[in-house]
């Protein structure tokens, strides 16, 4: 028992209860949503008070009558008023939903977590209408992009095996990139483009030369701004996942995989839009939808947003392990700078390289389509791809070493000595599952795979439990993981024993 403070105040007034991990995660989740919405409202204010260049300009540039562009082109370059009003309604509803969180009924526990996720969905969900419109406008192109994206997600799932990331976590990362990251980027840019024109052209209507200069400035700003805000939106998604799956965050590898999955989702939606745009404008640009599919969903699938997302995520994952705030800011900033710089450089330098090579090749010919254009697009990204692969290799080696050290220490009721060699060696685990499939069928093989994943999760928890800020919650997690292994080993689990 401690004595009361000398001031005579009750001890409860000076000693605050430490926040649990879930309470910290909920508070930071709402903070991230507020930052994203605050940035959007700042864009609205800037557009609202922009200098007017022509008479009778609308209050906001998104209300400007759109020229008769093809449907997809208009949706790619603008934000419809209907989406704008839906976003504002979601913001108001999200603000209202934050008031119940201050009451005792929703202050903690499962209700508080559900309220947090509902608030996040209400505030940010309307931005998903933009990419859903893009995807819905071209369902065949979207279906064509599914196999490649699913294959890369499967590879990411295999790479992160100690502890295994839940597939729902990777799907959430993919969905954030495909819907929220894409939608936020387009919403921000729709307002920012009109604002930059107003501030760069001045209050007088420009002449022909001034209009041409303003157009070039707008396009340059469009690329620069889009890539930067997209990476910031990607960072928000990765941070949210690192917060809510913190017991699976062990090193930069976790952030790398999540960042790559977010970038993969963004690449999916972007590819669908560019495939249809190429089909609509092919007569002008000479680019076909098949070429866009080839360069974005085939030869360059793991480049572009996937590579830059991996670098961003690796920086955030490493920053999550740093103890000092200054180190976290420096590491996270370096990851963001690498991702944004690579994305901007790819969009600006690749066309310049192609312009240099154009006089020496047959533009649109087989060599250009299959080799030259993909090579020039990937050339700028090459240093970033190499860096991402090096981080991936180092992370895989570190995971293997950690598993070899942690699994034997977890030997007991849940993990036996005979199971240790299979758990620490991915090749042996695959062989055990394949042998079980051949001898006992697919149901038994799936049960064995689930058991092995649960055992690795338990070993990883024992290895990493010292870093938990809330010992009581960490103990509950360990009990759940142990109980899951025992349940899967029970007769109802029907896991046949596989021997070397």
């Amino acid at each position: 028992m401690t004595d009361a403070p000398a001031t005579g105040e009750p001890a409860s007034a000076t000693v605050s209860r430490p926040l649990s991990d879930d309470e910290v995660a909920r508070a930071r989740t709402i903070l991230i949503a507020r930052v994203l919405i605050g940035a959007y409202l700042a864009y609205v204010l800037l557009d609202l008070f922009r200098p007017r260049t022509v008479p009778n300009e609308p209050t906001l540039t998104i209300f400007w009558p759109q020229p008769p562009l093809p449907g997809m082109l208009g949706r790619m370059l603008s934000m419809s008023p209907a989406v704008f009003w839906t976003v504002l309604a979601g913001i108001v509803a999200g603000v209202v939903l934050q008031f119940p969180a201050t009451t005792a009924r929703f202050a903690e526990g499962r209700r508080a977590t559900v309220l947090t996720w509902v608030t996040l969905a209400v505030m940010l969900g309307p931005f998903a209408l933009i990419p859903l419109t893009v995807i819905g406008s071209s369902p065949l192109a979207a279906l064509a992009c599914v196999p490649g994206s699913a294959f890369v997600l499967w590879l990411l799932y295999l790479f992160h095996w100690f502890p295994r990331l839940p597939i729902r976590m990777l799907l959430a990362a993919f969905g954030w990139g495909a819907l929220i990251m894409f939608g936020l980027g387009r919403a921000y840019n729709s307002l920012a483009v009109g604002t930059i024109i107003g501030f760069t052209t001045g209050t007088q209507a420009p002449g022909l030369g001034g209009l041409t200069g303003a157009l070039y400035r707008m396009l340059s700003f469009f690329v620069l701004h889009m890539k930067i805000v997209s990476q910031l939106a990607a960072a928000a998604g990765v941070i949210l996942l690192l917060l809510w799956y913190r017991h699976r965050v062990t090193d930069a590898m976790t952030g790398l995989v999540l960042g790559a999955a977010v970038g993969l989702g963004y690449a999916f939606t972007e590819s669908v839009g560019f495939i249809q745009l190429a089909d609509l404008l092919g007569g002008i640009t000479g680019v076909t939808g098949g070429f866009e599919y080839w360069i974005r969903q085939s030869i360059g699938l793991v480049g572009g947003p996937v590579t830059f997302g991996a670098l961003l995520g690796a920086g955030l994952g490493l920053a999550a392990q740093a103890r000092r705030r200054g180190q976290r800011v420096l590491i996270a900033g370096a990851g963001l700078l690498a991702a944004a710089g690579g994305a901007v450089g790819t969009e600006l330098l690749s066309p310049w390289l192609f312009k240099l090579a154009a006089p020496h090749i047959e533009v649109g010919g087989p060599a250009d389509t299959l080799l030259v254009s993909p090579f020039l697009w990937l050339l700028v990204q090459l240093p970033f791809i190499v860096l991402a692969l090096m981080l991936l290799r180092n992370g895989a080696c570190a995971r293997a070493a950690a598993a070899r050290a942690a699994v034997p220490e977890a030997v007991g009721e849940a993990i036996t000595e005979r199971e240790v060699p299979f758990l620490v060696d991915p090749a042996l685990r695959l062989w055990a599952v394949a042998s079980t499939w051949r001898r006992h069928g697919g149901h038994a093989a799936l049960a064995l795979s689930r058991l092995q994943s649960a055992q690795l999760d338990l070993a990883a928890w024992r290895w990493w439990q010292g870093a938990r800020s809330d010992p009581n919650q960490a103990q509950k997690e360990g009990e759940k993981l142990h109980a899951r292994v025992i349940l899967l080993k029970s007769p109802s689990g029907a896991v046949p024993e596989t021997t070397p």
Side-chain angles (χ1 to χ4, degrees):
M1 179 180 294
T2 59
D3 295 332
T7 60
E9 296 178 0
S12 59
T14 58
V15 180
S16 60
R17 177 181 64 86
L19 295 177
S20 67
D21 288 350
D22 281 346
E23 288 174 318
V24 173
R26 289 195 294 267
R28 292 180 178 176
T29 297
I30 296 300
L31 176 61
I32 290 173
R34 289 173 178 173
V35 169
L36 294 175
I37 293 301
Y40 176 76
L41 294 178
Y43 279 109
V44 173
L45 289 176
L46 285 173
D47 193 29
L48 186 64
F49 294 103
R50 74 191 185 280
R52 275 26 179 196
T53 59
V54 297
N56 301 321
E57 279 195 26
T59 305
L60 295 174
T61 53
I62 61 171
F63 297 138
W64 195 283
Q66 296 296 320
L69 299 173
M72 171 55 65
L73 185 58
R75 286 186 287 269
M76 285 287 289
L77 298 180
S78 63
M79 177 182 179
S80 70
V83 174
F84 172 79
W85 292 117
T86 304
V87 168
L88 288 187
I91 293 173
V92 173
V95 171
V96 173
L97 284 173
Q98 293 178 48
F99 287 102
T102 61
T103 64
R105 183 179 182 184
F106 292 96
E108 58 184 10
R110 181 173 179 81
R111 287 178 177 175
T113 300
V114 172
L115 181 61
T116 300
W117 283 110
V118 170
T119 303
L120 186 70
V122 168
M123 296 180 75
L124 300 182
F127 291 101
L129 294 174
I130 299 173
L132 287 175
T133 301
V134 174
I135 295 172
S137 299
S138 185
L140 293 181
L143 287 175
C145 296
V146 168
S149 298
F151 176 71
V152 176
L153 272 181
W154 178 69
L155 290 179
L156 294 174
Y157 177 76
L158 293 181
F159 282 138
H160 198 293
W161 62 273
F162 184 74
R164 176 77 73 191
L165 287 181
I167 189 64
R168 64 179 179 275
M169 188 176 181
L170 286 175
L171 290 176
F174 180 87
W176 180 274
L179 301 177
I180 305 303
M181 176 183 171
F182 188 93
L184 278 172
R186 290 301 186 273
Y188 289 161
N189 234 60
S190 295
L191 295 167
V193 169
T195 302
I196 196 64
I197 291 177
F199 280 102
T200 55
T201 59
T203 58
Q204 300 297 323
L208 182 59
L211 183 61
T212 303
L215 179 60
Y216 278 110
R217 286 193 296 271
M218 183 195 72
L219 292 176
S220 298
F221 179 81
F222 184 90
V223 173
L224 179 64
H225 180 265
M226 173 62 71
K227 295 305 176 182
I228 293 176
V229 298
S230 294
Q231 294 304 324
L232 289 173
V238 174
I239 292 172
L240 284 174
L241 290 168
L242 292 178
L243 283 172
W244 286 100
Y245 289 89
R246 56 198 169 274
H247 60 285
R248 295 180 182 271
V249 181
T250 54
D251 53 19
M253 181 74 165
T254 305
L256 185 149
V257 170
L258 291 176
V262 170
L264 183 67
Y266 182 85
F268 174 85
T269 306
E270 187 180 52
S271 298
V272 174
F274 274 102
I275 289 171
Q276 190 172 3
L277 276 178
D279 288 337
L280 290 172
L281 305 178
I284 301 174
T285 63
V287 179
T288 64
F291 173 77
E292 290 290 349
Y293 181 85
W294 160 249
I295 199 169
R296 295 179 183 274
Q297 286 290 312
S298 298
I299 193 170
L301 181 58
V302 295
V306 178
T307 294
F308 304 134
L311 294 179
L312 172 64
L316 294 174
L318 189 59
Q321 309 308 308
R323 296 186 179 275
R324 292 188 297 177
R325 182 186 297 271
Q327 289 179 331
R328 292 196 294 269
V329 172
L330 182 63
I331 296 171
L336 178 61
L337 180 62
V344 172
T346 298
E347 295 298 327
L348 296 180
L349 293 179
S350 294
W352 177 73
L353 292 175
F354 182 79
K355 183 179 180 180
L356 294 178
H360 309 286
I361 60 174
E362 181 186 355
V363 178
D368 175 36
T369 301
L370 298 177
L371 297 175
V372 177
S373 290
F375 172 76
L376 295 178
W377 186 70
L378 292 171
L379 180 62
V380 181
Q381 306 175 38
L382 187 59
F384 302 93
I385 294 174
V386 171
L387 179 58
L389 291 176
M390 290 176 61
L391 290 172
L392 183 63
R393 179 181 179 277
N394 291 340
C397 293
R399 288 299 165 90
R404 289 192 296 268
V407 173
E409 294 181 359
V411 168
E413 181 184 13
I415 300 175
T416 65
E417 291 282 358
R418 298 181 65 183
E419 292 171 321
V420 170
F422 292 91
L423 294 176
V424 300
D425 190 335
L428 277 178
R429 287 203 314 277
L430 180 60
W431 175 83
V433 172
S435 299
T436 302
W437 186 300
R438 187 175 65 253
R439 297 176 184 177
H440 304 283
H443 180 74
L446 180 61
L448 177 60
S449 178
R450 289 174 176 171
L451 172 61
Q452 292 174 340
S453 296
Q455 289 173 319
L456 288 171
D457 287 345
L458 178 61
W461 170 83
R462 291 181 180 274
W463 172 55
W464 193 244
Q465 64 175 326
R468 302 297 197 278
S469 59
D470 187 345
N472 293 330
Q473 190 171 4
Q475 185 62 31
K476 292 179 181 179
E477 291 174 2
E479 292 173 356
K480 290 180 181 179
L481 292 172
H482 185 273
R484 174 171 170 77
V485 175
I486 299 304
L487 177 63
L488 291 173
K489 280 194 165 189
S490 66
S492 61
V495 180
E497 184 175 356
T498 303
T499 59

